[in-house]
């Protein structure tokens, strides 16, 4: 598998370059960050400090494993999303569940283990909100579902 360079332009015009596919450790190092802990999905971190977090498919932060060749989107969650957000459109048109699923799958990077990187003013509050927010909610709330379509491996 060949590696390419990914560039990220941050606030202040800083550019971070790192090879892709990328381990979590490589991505953090490229941005000058050090990791301070790891929690499994569904577990709130014990710190309420601000910080950067990564959602990844891997069991190890130092290797590139656990990748999925194709995004596995839960169809029932797409259906629910469309039901609770009747104003949702793609390119100005109301999508079918199949169209919305294909669009989301189009963003999938098959050889990457990192699914999402975020910045939080309180890691425990931000990640806790992921687990409580119902699908389609406009803001983080108090129920027990993430606000993005679930993936099934």
């Amino acid at each position: 598998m060949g590696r390419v360079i990914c560039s990220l332009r941050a606030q202040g015009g800083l550019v971070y370059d790192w090879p892709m596919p990328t381990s979590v450790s490589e991505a953090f190092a490229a941005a000058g960050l050090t990791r301070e802990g790891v929690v499994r999905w569904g577990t709130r971190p014990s710190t309420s400090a601000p910080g950067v977090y990564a959602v990844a498919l891997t069991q190890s932060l130092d290797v590139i494993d656990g990748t999925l060749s194709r995004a596995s989107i839960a169809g029932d969650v797409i259906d629910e999303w469309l039901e609770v957000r009747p104003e949702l459109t793609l390119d100005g048109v109301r999508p079918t569940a199949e169209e919305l699923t294909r669009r989301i799958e189009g963003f999938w990077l098959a050889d990457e283990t990192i699914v999402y990187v975020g910045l939080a003013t309180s890691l425990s509050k931000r990640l806790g909100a992921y687990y409580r927010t119902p699908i389609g909610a406009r803001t983080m709330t108090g129920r027990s579902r993430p606000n993005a379509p679930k993936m099934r491996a």
Side-chain angles (χ1 to χ4, degrees):
M1 160 178 18
R3 289 177 70 128
V4 298
I5 299 296
C6 176
S7 292
L8 172 69
R9 184 169 302 278
Q11 289 180 327
L14 298 174
V15 176
Y16 301 106
D17 293 322
W18 65 87
M20 290 180 66
T22 308
S23 70
V24 174
S25 294
E26 289 171 328
F28 274 49
L33 301 171
T34 56
R35 67 178 190 249
E36 294 187 13
V38 177
V39 296
R40 295 186 68 76
W41 183 256
T43 305
R44 287 176 76 170
S46 58
T47 180
S48 61
V52 175
Y53 60 95
V55 177
L57 301 172
T58 184
Q59 295 293 318
S60 171
L61 302 180
D62 300 312
V63 297
I64 301 165
D65 66 355
T67 61
L68 299 174
S69 61
R70 183 172 178 264
S72 180
I73 307 294
D76 57 326
V77 176
I78 294 290
D79 292 339
E80 182 181 352
W81 194 10
L82 288 167
E83 183 179 323
V84 299
R85 304 296 334 166
E87 75 283 5
L88 189 150
T89 62
L90 288 179
D91 306 321
V93 178
R94 177 73 175 174
T96 65
E98 201 172 282
E99 291 166 335
L100 182 55
T101 299
R102 275 197 313 268
R103 177 65 65 93
I104 293 167
E105 288 173 338
F107 290 101
W108 192 252
L109 300 173
D111 61 349
E112 282 295 327
T113 60
I114 299 171
V115 177
Y116 182 80
V117 176
L119 178 64
T121 56
S122 168
L123 288 170
S124 62
K125 287 181 183 177
R126 178 67 176 107
L127 296 177
Y130 271 118
Y131 313 135
R132 292 186 310 273
T133 303
I135 189 78
R138 288 187 183 267
T139 60
M140 295 292 193
T141 63
R143 284 188 30 207
S144 62
R145 293 189 62 190
N147 66 341
K150 290 182 180 176
M151 295 177 25
R152 294 188 179 136

